[in-house]
């Protein structure tokens, strides 16, 4: 069976949460904030692969969601960024926005990349908001 048109759903990964933490050490009177930032969520990226000829794979898997970033930690530890979700498409793939009908990308060359959904930026920890006292 030859499939040349499909509707798919994509979502970039959410960013990780920042954390609220404070330094609690015996000989430091006013420790201050020590919460780390959350990691960046993964992007959904379409990459042209010359080995593919049809969109048959998308007939059975229509939802693509990237991973979320890790949460921040205490002691100013930043969360880990999530990996991008790479979706392989055949050459000649044309991507339209279903709601507006606008042309988003025309992928023709092998290895050509297009970020269809960006991941979230990640929350900020309370150490980011510290001011000199």
């Amino acid at each position: 069976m030859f499939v040349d048109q499909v509707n798919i759903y994509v979502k970039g990964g959410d960013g990780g949460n920042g954390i609220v933490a404070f330094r609690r050490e015996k000989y430091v009177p006013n420790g201050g904030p020590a919460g780390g930032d959350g990691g960046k969520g993964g992007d959904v990226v379409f990459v042209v692969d010359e080995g593919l000829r049809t969109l048959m794979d998308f007939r059975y898997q229509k939802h693509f969601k990237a991973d979320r970033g890790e949460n921040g930690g205490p002691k100013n530890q930043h969360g880990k960024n999530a990996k991008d979700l790479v979706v392989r498409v055949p050459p000649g793939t044309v991507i339209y926005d279903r709601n507006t009908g606008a042309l988003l990308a025309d992928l023709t060359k092998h290895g050509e990349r297009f970020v269809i959904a960006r991941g979230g930026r990640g929350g900020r920890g309370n150490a980011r908001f510290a001011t000199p006292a």
Side-chain angles (χ1 to χ4, degrees), residues 47-112:
V47 178
V48 176
D49 184 4
E50 284 185 352
L52 299 175
R53 293 288 173 229
T54 68
L55 298 172
M56 188 66 181
D57 298 337
F58 299 112
R59 181 177 177 141
Y60 301 107
Q61 183 181 2
K62 295 183 181 232
H63 296 269
F64 297 93
K65 182 180 177 199
D67 294 332
R68 64 174 288 135
E70 286 187 6
N71 296 336
K75 300 182 189 173
N76 289 326
Q77 295 174 347
H78 297 285
K80 194 164 132 181
N81 295 340
K83 292 184 180 178
D84 295 340
L85 175 64
V86 176
V87 179
R88 303 205 179 282
V89 295
T93 300
V94 181
I95 302 169
Y96 291 99
D97 184 347
R98 185 173 178 194
N99 296 331
T100 64
L103 175 67
L104 299 177
D106 186 5
L107 305 172
T108 56
K109 299 178 197 146
H110 178 69
E112 189 174 356

